[in-house]
Amino acid sequence: MTKIIFISSDGNETAVEAADGDNVMRAALANDVDGIVAECGGSMMCATCHCYVDEAWTDAVGARADGEEDMLESAACEVRPTSRLSCQIRIRPELDGLIIHLPESQT
Amino acid sequence: MSYGVVIIGTGQGGFQLAASLRQEGYQSPITMVGDEDCLPYQRPPLSKAYLKDGRLDAIQLRPASFYERNSIDIVVPERVTVINRASRTVETLTGRTLPYEHLVLATGARSFIPPIPGLEAAKVHSLKTTADANDLRDALTTSRKIIVIGGGFIGLEFAAVAISLGHQVTVVEAASRLMARVVSEPMSETFRVFHEQMGSELVLGASVVEVAVGHDGLARGVRLSDGRSIEGDMILVAAGVRPNTELAAAAGLQVANGIVVNSSLMTADPSISALGDCAAFPCPSSGGMIRLESVQAATDHARTIARRIVGKSVTYDALPWFWSDQGTLKLQIAGLGQAADEDVAVVRPEGRQLVFRFKMGQLLSVETINAAGEHMAARQLLRHPSGVSLDALEARDFDIVGLAKALKEPG
Ligand SMILES: Cc1cc2nc3c(=O)[nH]c(=O)nc-3n(C[C@H](O)[C@H](O)[C@H](O)COP(=O)(O)OP(=O)(O)OC[C@H]3O[C@@H](n4cnc5c(N)ncnc54)[C@H](O)[C@@H]3O)c2cc1C
Ligand code: FES
């Protein structure tokens, strides 16, 4: 299990244990973390799973997936260099302690 | 005290309505009644990942704690049997009576089983629920010769999965091309070539007229309208769906290919709304009555109804979009192209394919394969108030991403 820390737009922190191989969007939903909508269930169709990867973690998380850039354009909140679709971040042991910031809204 | 909102159906749309109501600050009770014995889940993975891995936790929309935390009462498994409009109550199969202030019909649709001799008798499969998908997964543990009746999205997604697992697959489609009801001819053709290359046998322009059933009650094959016979030991019926409208009709609400609602998703009874697969609503662009079977429609309908219930003024004007994953092809559709009188197919590098669909020179819809950027640009352009013309796209050599950028920049 890998630890992921979600920080909501108003500063609320929730730490969850997630299974490797799952994605960050799934980890948020399964643990009832507010702030991720994920309407398309991870099919990269909706951009309602937008998140900001903490600056300290961007290298470890890696680059955006094919097509992710284009989907992000329709995200409800500001897109920053650290923006990712959380359904496209696969959880692996190296990401233990990963900090994810959640935007104010998704729709 | 208000009796609050009662939602019939715990699918994608019912869930979204409950979630959106709380997000909008709705404080009265919310009760969801559903006849499936589980928390709300997503259906799209049933013909994709879930068919292979069977992980219910991976398709559940939210965990149980979400509903507790948000005071959303989920009553499952329970079936609503009667709507009493005069007393504003619904009755359930186990004899409960639930009062409502607002009632929302989110009853979805059920698989259509065509009246083919033998089909009733044979143990055939359909694919709508987790139970259906589990049955299919079990059946696929031994090597099969599968016949899929219907060459639409679900039949083809299933065929792609079954072939990749090493089974033999024949898809029988009565129309002359695949997904004929919803995609352009060039798209149908691309998918025909793709599925044949993957190893599926496709029979187009012929329908199944009889199913042969063995002594064990299992299907042994089918006979086609052109006289041919196909052997098989497993049948999936994927011949479309029928909206669940009986409750509404019995309550005297108008039904015409769906429960009829207005542009704010309200039936003729102002305390009853309908959404998603079961609702026939005015198309925001053509004005004609349509019914869509998509996650987009179910969730956008739900958000519209939630806003109306909390007192905001609403008109449903969302742009339809849809996707289908078949093998390595990701089909994405923006807009509705059924009324098109002209299609322009464009091939781009890296296997990206686009079909632009026009009516009288105005862009109606864009279908793309493995081209997320173009799909998103299309979604943006199709929302543009003055629309997009064939001329404007031709002038840019169909560079839709460039055109979307140009229109976005002011001036
Ligand atoms: C296999 C499959 C793959 C799909 N793939 C895609 C895809 O890739 N992309 C896409 O956009 N869409 C896809 N869809 C369509 C999408 O899942 C539906 O459009 C969406 O689920 C509709 O939501 P809904 O709430 O209207 O209905 P549903 O999600 O069907 O929910 C309706 C619920 O109401 C219940 N119900 C009905 N009557 C009663 C009653 N009287 N009392 C209690 N409960 C009742 C039903 O049992 C059901 O649980 C797919 C559907 C299937 C089946
Ligand atoms: S869940 Fe829809 S894009 Fe990530």
Side-chain angles (χ1 to χ4, degrees), chain A residues 26 32 39 43 45 74, chain B residues 58 65 69 303 330 332 376:
Chain A
R26 249 310 118 210
D32 202 7
E39 205 154 280
S43 291
M45 278 300 290
S74 68
Chain B
S65 56
R69 191 160 59 84
R303 275 191 280 267
K330 184 182 194 76
Q332 297 177 299
M376 290 315 293

Side-chain angles (χ1 to χ4, degrees), chain A residues 78-91:
Chain A
E78 177 202 4
V79 178
R80 305 179 196 149
T82 56
S83 284
R84 289 294 309 266
L85 293 176
S86 57
C87 69
Q88 301 302 312
I89 305 176
R90 209 149 275 291
I91 295 167

Side-chain angles (χ1 to χ4, degrees), chain B residues 21-356:
Chain B
L21 277 169
R22 288 296 182 234
Q23 224 173 3
E24 295 283 349
Y26 186 73
Q27 307 248 330
S28 298
I30 300 176
T31 309
M32 303 181 69
V33 186
D35 58 4
E36 288 185 75
D37 189 11
C38 54
L39 291 176
Y41 61 89
Q42 304 168 345
R43 293 183 203 283
L46 297 182
S47 49
K48 307 172 183 92
Y50 183 82
L51 196 52
K52 290 189 201 167
D53 68 24
R55 278 188 55 197
L56 187 60
D57 65 309
I59 66 169
Q60 241 171 27
L61 282 153
R62 293 294 182 276
S65 56
F66 173 86
Y67 304 95
E68 285 157 27
R69 191 160 59 84
N70 286 290
S71 309
I72 296 166
D73 207 7
I74 297 214
V75 185
V76 287
E78 178 69 288
R79 200 175 161 70
V80 173
T81 48
V82 179
I83 302 170
N84 300 308
R85 286 168 56 194
S87 60
R88 291 207 197 166
T89 55
V90 300
E91 288 169 29
T92 70
L93 197 58
T94 65
R96 261 185 265 217
T97 302
L98 302 170
Y100 63 81
E101 188 181 341
H102 289 280
L103 179 67
V104 181
L105 294 155
T107 49
R110 58 179 175 273
S111 302
F112 172 60
I113 307 295
I116 299 171
L119 201 53
E120 290 288 337
K123 288 182 192 138
V124 297
H125 295 265
S126 56
L127 183 48
K128 187 78 197 170
T129 63
T130 50
D132 295 339
N134 294 343
D135 284 348
L136 278 171
R137 190 174 331 98
D138 287 347
L140 292 179
T141 50
T142 48
S143 171
R144 295 283 178 184
K145 196 165 180 320
I146 304 164
I147 299 168
V148 177
I149 302 181
F153 292 123
I154 292 178
L156 293 174
E157 287 183 4
F158 172 80
V161 172
I163 279 280
S164 74
L165 295 174
H167 301 281
Q168 282 185 57
V169 180
T170 305
V171 179
V172 183
E173 166 58 53
S176 59
R177 59 187 181 88
L178 298 174
M179 304 175 282
R181 207 167 50 88
V182 275
V183 306
S184 65
E185 266 186 70
M187 246 340 138
S188 295
E189 181 56 16
T190 299
F191 277 90
R192 182 188 69 76
V193 171
F194 175 76
H195 282 284
E196 284 185 348
Q197 273 170 359
M198 275 188 83
S200 283
E201 188 188 338
L202 304 179
V203 178
L204 299 173
S207 48
V208 173
V209 292
E210 193 183 342
V211 174
V213 188
H215 295 301
D216 49 7
L218 297 176
R220 300 217 333 248
V222 299
R223 199 159 56 77
L224 302 180
S225 50
D226 60 10
R228 268 189 294 171
S229 289
I230 302 173
E231 270 180 38
D233 52 18
M234 177 176 164
I235 294 182
L236 172 71
V237 182
V241 300
R242 290 292 177 270
N244 292 321
T245 57
E246 289 74 8
L247 266 183
L253 296 167
Q254 193 192 349
V255 168
N257 177 37
I259 303 163
V260 173
V261 293
N262 66 15
S263 63
S264 62
L265 287 318
M266 192 195 277
T267 66
D269 180 334
S271 50
I272 305 181
S273 309
L275 62 74
D277 283 13
C278 70
F281 64 101
C283 172
S285 54
S286 76
M289 294 300 280
I290 56 171
R291 192 177 64 76
L292 297 177
E293 294 149 18
S294 71
V295 168
Q296 174 277 323
T299 54
D300 282 336
H301 284 172
R303 275 191 280 267
T304 304
I305 296 172
R307 283 200 296 271
R308 168 159 55 73
I309 289 178
V310 298
K312 297 184 179 168
S313 90
V314 293
T315 309
Y316 183 77
D317 62 356
L319 177 82
W321 52 261
F322 187 80
W323 80 97
S324 172
D325 297 327
Q326 299 175 29
T328 53
L329 301 191
K330 184 182 194 76
L331 169 68
Q332 297 177 299
I333 305 175
L336 296 178
Q338 278 83 343
D341 53 27
E342 184 173 359
D343 294 330
V344 178
V346 177
V347 179
R348 300 274 189 230
E350 295 159 11
R352 280 147 57 229
Q353 278 189 46
L354 325 173
V355 177
F356 295 84

